[in-house]
């Protein structure tokens, strides 16, 4: 039996958080929610997560910029895989996300199969068994 994942989700969209909460419950994983960059940064610098899921356009900042800050530090999540959810998968957003060392970018709203598949790909890189 594999390890239960510990996920940090930084998302200001209540409907998206509700969907992700449901997905995580089905998969029997653990999740911590942050509604904005400030809270997300505090959680990400205070403890280790197996994965960070962040929204692109957060109420108080850009999720890509938050990831850049986390990557630049030597904190507990500087190398943690990141899944970015965005309302636009245009080449510019995907390119900027890639340049910020974001591991995967998906279109909102995320479907269960998309969420599960992307998480499995990303945690596989970290050799966490599901």
């Amino acid at each position: 039996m594999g390890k239960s994942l510990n996920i940090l989700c930084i998302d200001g969209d209540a409907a998206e958080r509700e969907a992700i909460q449901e997905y995580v419950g089905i998969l029997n994983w653990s999740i911590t929610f942050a509604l904005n960059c400030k809270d997300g940064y505090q959680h990400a610098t205070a403890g280790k997560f197996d994965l960070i899921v962040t929204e692109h356009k957060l109420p108080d900042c850009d999720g890509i910029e938050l990831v850049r800050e986390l990557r630049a530090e030597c904190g507990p999540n500087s190398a943690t895989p990141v899944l970015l959810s965005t309302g636009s998968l245009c080449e510019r957003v995907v390119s900027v996300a890639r340049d910020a060392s974001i591991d995967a970018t998906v279109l909102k709203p995320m479907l269960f199969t998309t969420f599960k598949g992307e998480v499995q790909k990303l945690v596989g890189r970290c050799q966490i068994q599901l």
Side-chain angles (χ1 to χ4, degrees), residues 39-81:
D39 291 341
Y41 181 85
Q42 288 176 338
H43 284 294
T45 56
K48 177 72 175 120
F49 292 91
D50 299 311
L51 176 74
I52 296 173
V53 178
T54 186
E55 179 180 24
H56 179 202
K57 298 293 183 185
L58 289 155
D60 60 340
C61 80
D62 183 307
I64 295 172
E65 291 305 314
L66 173 63
V67 173
R68 278 197 176 117
E69 287 180 43
L70 295 173
R71 296 285 194 231
E73 297 179 2
C74 293
N77 293 292
S78 61
T80 298

Side-chain angles (χ1 to χ4, degrees), residues 6-123:
N6 184 22
I7 299 170
L8 172 60
C9 178
I10 309 163
D11 201 313
D13 182 329
E16 191 78 359
R17 285 193 315 272
E18 186 176 310
I20 292 171
Q21 176 69 56
E22 184 176 322
Y23 302 162
V24 168
I26 291 168
L27 296 164
N28 201 28
W29 296 338
S30 299
I31 193 156
T32 300
F33 284 103
L35 306 181
N36 56 46
C37 284
K38 180 182 175 187
D39 291 341
Y41 181 85
Q42 288 176 338
H43 284 294
T45 56
K48 177 72 175 120
F49 292 91
D50 299 311
L51 176 74
I52 296 173
V53 178
T54 186
E55 179 180 24
H56 179 202
K57 298 293 183 185
L58 289 155
D60 60 340
C61 80
D62 183 307
I64 295 172
E65 291 305 314
L66 173 63
V67 173
R68 278 197 176 117
E69 287 180 43
L70 295 173
R71 296 285 194 231
E73 297 179 2
C74 293
N77 293 292
S78 61
T80 298
V82 174
L83 175 61
L84 178 76
S85 65
T86 181
S88 171
L89 276 179
C90 71
E91 183 53 40
R92 184 190 65 75
V93 170
V94 173
S95 177
V96 171
R98 192 177 317 116
D99 289 346
S101 298
I102 290 174
D103 301 281
T105 305
V106 297
L107 191 61
K108 288 178 76 166
M110 265 191 284
L111 300 175
F112 176 75
T113 53
T114 301
F115 177 77
K116 181 181 177 188
E118 290 297 327
V119 170
Q120 286 177 322
K121 282 188 240 176
L122 294 174
V123 296

